[in-house]
Amino acid sequence: MKQDIEGHSGSSTSSPSVKQKSLTVIRQLQCYGLVAITFMSFFPFLFRYQEYAFFVLLAMALSLCWIEGKNPLVRTSIDVPLLAFI
């Protein structure tokens, strides 16, 4: 690949860095959301908002997995016993 004056490859654009920054912001929002859900667990009058926050964070996590092309399902050795218990 050709190198331009700054030493970067010629095919690099600013979009991957923008995508990376947006993914970092989404991950930070998820962390703050988990802290908020933990805080709301101590106050019964906030349980309804805790449920809403959980579903918003779940949707964010699934959409993040879809954007990154990752599979959100993780296989473990305890999956079969848990399914048998349910």
Side-chain angles (χ1 to χ4, degrees):
M1 287 181 145
K2 293 183 179 180
Q3 299 260 337
D4 59 8
I5 298 172
E6 292 85 20
H8 300 298
S9 62
S11 64
S12 67
T13 61
S14 63
S15 62
S17 65
V18 171
K19 182 180 179 182
Q20 191 65 24
K21 288 180 183 179
S22 63
L23 293 177
T24 303
V25 168
I26 291 173
R27 287 187 183 112
Q28 287 177 344
L29 285 174
Q30 288 178 339
C31 290
Y32 291 137
L34 288 175
V35 170
I37 285 177
T38 304
F39 177 75
M40 286 187 271
S41 297
F42 293 107
F43 303 100
F45 62 93
L46 294 175
F47 283 172
R48 179 179 304 130
Y49 302 110
Q50 180 184 15
E51 293 173 6
Y52 296 150
F54 169 78
F55 287 117
V56 167
L57 289 175
L58 179 64
M60 285 175 59
L62 292 176
S63 63
L64 187 65
C65 287
W66 181 67
I67 289 170
E68 291 182 340
K70 294 182 180 179
N71 186 4
L73 301 176
V74 178
R75 299 284 182 188
T76 63
S77 60
I78 198 167
D79 289 343
V80 175
L82 282 176
L83 287 174
F85 181 70
I86 291 175

